[in-house]
């Protein structure tokens, strides 16, 4: 079982859009996939038509008083299950803080699922905190969407510094450009230079297009309802790069 996390300290950069599409694409290739919506805003749960609420409360689940298995829901897609968000996740840091070994909590909760899933995707809320440490411990691969600005490059440097200085398990990082606007000269320039300079950059580039926004209307991944679009093609490319980096064997 491999664990991916979509991660960025910023919100609104395409973390959920990526988690949703990559989970769907993995399931379509025959992998058994669990998407865990860790954001109290519950966008991933909404997109898969699952009510955000964990039976017995998110707190009991995080603190290990309730098995993760109990809260898992099936989606409309074969091979793709979802662990819904819970509004109590707004206090996830406090919940982790009161758990034993908070930094290892997520990894510990997911360990019993090893036989059931080939891939777990963690859709993270925007934050850098105890949860981040727990995510870093658990994840094999961090997928980091970046909007191409000079500041985003700094964000990535800060993240890679944080990961390499991290005392414990270190995930691999795969950054990629998200919401790239081809009409903006700066976007094009940054997107052209950076991937060539760094090995932690994907060649896939996710365009800023309305068909991705329409996911919330269709309540489905764009790779499912508009598979022939450029956006879907780029998500497929990103999935293949992520799959190969993580060394996922065929599902
Ligand atoms: N490539 C894109 N092009 C256009 N809109 C996008 C794109 N990616 C995400 N969005 C939209 O932007 C908003 C934030 O995206 P989301 O994936 O939820 O970000 P995050 O999870 O990082 O907060 C959503 O309304 C989503 O539909
Ligand atoms: Mg999100």
């Amino acid at each position: 079982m491999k664990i991916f996390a979509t991660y960025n300290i910023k919100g609104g950069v395409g973390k959920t859009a990526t988690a949703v599409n990559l989970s769907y694409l993995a399931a379509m290739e025959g992998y058994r996939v669990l998407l865990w919506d860790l954001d109290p805003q519950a966008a991933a749960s909404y997109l898969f038509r699952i009510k955000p609420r964990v039976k017995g409360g998110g707190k009991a689940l995080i603190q290990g008083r309730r098995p993760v298995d109990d809260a898992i829901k099936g989606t409309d897609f074969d091979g793709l299950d979802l662990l819904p968000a819970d509004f109590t996740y707004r206090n996830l840091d406090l919940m982790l803080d009161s758990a034993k070994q908070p930094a290892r909590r997520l990894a510990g909760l997911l360990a019993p699922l090893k036989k059931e899933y080939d891939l777990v995707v963690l859709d993270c809320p925007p934050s850098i905190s105890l949860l981040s440490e727990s995510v870093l411990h658990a994840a094999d691969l961090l997928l980091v969407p970046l909007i191409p600005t000079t500041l985003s490059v700094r964000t990535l440097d800060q993240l890679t510094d944080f990961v390499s200085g991290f005392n414990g398990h270190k995930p691999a990082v795969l950054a990629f450009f998200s919401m790239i606007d081809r009409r903006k000269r700066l976007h094009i320039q940054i997107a052209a230079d950076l991937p060539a300079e760094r090995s932690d950059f994907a060649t896939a580039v996710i365009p800023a297009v309305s068909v991705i926004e329409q996911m919330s209307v269709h309540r489905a991944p764009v790779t499912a309802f508009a598979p022939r679009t450029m956006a879907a093609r780029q998500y497929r490319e990103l999935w293949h790069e992520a799959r190969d980096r993580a060394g996922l064997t065929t599902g």
Side-chain angles (χ1 to χ4, degrees):
M1 183 178 85
K2 297 287 182 188
I3 302 178
F4 291 2
T6 54
Y7 187 88
N8 190 310
I9 56 170
K10 288 192 187 147
V13 294
K15 290 185 297 297
T16 298
T18 303
V20 159
N21 281 288
L22 267 53
S23 299
Y24 167 78
L25 290 168
M28 288 306 103
E29 274 188 15
Y31 294 96
R32 298 163 303 164
V33 184
L34 175 67
L35 171 57
W36 188 351
D37 185 356
L38 283 164
D39 190 337
Q41 292 185 66
S45 305
Y46 178 84
L47 289 172
F48 281 116
R49 302 165 188 263
I50 306 279
K51 263 199 208 115
R53 198 175 84 85
V54 171
K55 241 193 307 170
K59 189 172 174 184
L61 188 148
I62 295 292
Q63 294 182 339
R65 284 181 282 115
R66 211 159 237 283
V68 171
D69 258 11
D70 269 16
I72 293 175
K73 309 273 187 196
T75 67
D76 295 342
F77 303 103
D78 279 349
L80 177 54
D81 291 345
L82 188 135
L83 194 49
D86 191 87
F87 193 54
T88 59
Y89 286 176
R90 70 194 189 283
N91 299 319
L92 209 47
D93 264 352
L94 290 174
M95 276 147 55
L96 282 169
D97 201 26
S98 62
K100 268 184 260 159
Q101 291 198 304
R104 295 179 193 278
R105 197 70 215 128
L106 284 185
L109 289 172
L110 291 170
L113 302 176
K114 261 187 195 133
K115 288 208 176 71
E116 280 167 72
Y117 295 101
D118 304 306
L119 175 66
V120 174
V121 179
L122 305 172
D123 186 26
C124 296
S127 69
I128 187 152
S129 55
L130 259 181
L131 174 65
S132 311
E133 278 184 47
S134 208
V135 167
L136 254 52
H137 257 293
D140 297 293
L141 185 69
L142 292 187
L143 290 152
V144 185
L146 296 170
I147 295 172
T149 63
T150 18
L151 213 59
S152 71
V153 180
R154 277 195 50 214
T155 309
L156 179 60
D157 284 335
Q158 284 168 345
L159 173 66
T160 46
D161 285 351
F162 180 54
V163 172
S164 59
F166 191 59
N167 182 14
H169 169 89
K170 291 185 182 64
V173 172
L174 185 61
F176 61 96
F177 286 123
S178 176
M179 302 191 187
I180 185 161
D181 185 345
R182 294 273 170 207
R183 291 164 306 181
K184 291 187 178 154
R185 211 149 58 114
L186 188 64
H187 276 204
I188 295 174
Q189 203 180 333
I190 293 175
D193 295 346
L194 210 61
E197 291 165 14
R198 308 182 61 127
S199 61
D200 54 1
F201 241 92
T203 52
V205 164
I206 311 298
V209 284
S210 66
V211 74
I212 295 179
E213 287 176 79
Q214 284 163 25
M215 292 200 301
S216 59
V217 179
H218 292 267
R219 295 185 76 176
V222 63
T223 41
F225 72 79
R228 289 175 205 285
T229 53
M230 170 66 110
R233 201 164 351 127
Q234 290 300 315
Y235 276 124
R236 282 196 294 273
E237 167 66 26
L238 183 62
W239 153 242
H240 291 145
E241 289 183 65
R243 179 195 65 190
D244 295 348
R245 285 239 176 174
L248 259 170
T249 43
T250 335

